[in-house]
Amino acid sequence: MAALSEFARSSRFAGVRILICDSDPIVRQFHRTHALAQRLSTRIEIRKIQATVDTPDWEFALADGLQLLQCDDRERWLGTYHRNNQVRARKLLDTFERDWPLAAADANLRRLSL
């Protein structure tokens, strides 16, 4: 989590965008990424994909248009990391960019300030 925080604060141009399908697990149990996103809300944004969006049912993370981390097996938390796979990263970025504008902030993830 320290690396994500450091990255988000590294430059005024740095930003982290996260798409999720279901916010219930995050709401039910403390999640460090959610807590960090609340603290750095101008740098880290979490949106929920709408049920109408036809998005593949797998997780991935992209960095700098080259690096790719993809979860292949959720049951055993196995995945692959590609340090320099521009073609695959571009395809996944296109998928992400297509879905991002269709996603919305989830009311369940908003910070309640008293």
Side-chain angles (χ1 to χ4, degrees), residues 30-45:
F30 176 78
H31 199 284
R32 294 183 306 168
T33 304
H34 178 232
L36 182 63
Q38 286 182 325
R39 286 197 315 273
L40 301 175
S41 60
T42 60
R43 304 291 180 124
I44 301 174
E45 187 174 358

Side-chain angles (χ1 to χ4, degrees), residues 12-64:
R12 66 184 185 131
F13 302 109
V16 177
R17 299 183 299 167
I18 301 170
L19 284 175
I20 61 172
C21 294
D22 184 11
S23 62
D24 290 341
I26 297 170
V27 172
R28 279 183 289 176
Q29 190 174 23
F30 176 78
H31 199 284
R32 294 183 306 168
T33 304
H34 178 232
L36 182 63
Q38 286 182 325
R39 286 197 315 273
L40 301 175
S41 60
T42 60
R43 304 291 180 124
I44 301 174
E45 187 174 358
I46 299 175
R47 290 187 185 179
K48 184 176 177 182
I49 296 174
Q50 302 304 307
T52 58
V53 176
D54 184 29
T55 300
D57 189 24
W58 32 263
E59 294 93 13
F60 61 89
L62 301 170
D64 300 329

Side-chain angles (χ1 to χ4, degrees), residues 61-70 79-90 92:
L62 301 170
D64 300 329
L66 293 173
Q67 298 178 57
L68 163 66
L69 178 63
Q70 187 170 344
T80 54
Y81 170 71
H82 302 277
R83 199 166 70 101
N84 190 9
N85 191 341
Q86 189 173 7
V87 173
R88 181 72 176 142
R90 183 73 213 162
L92 290 173

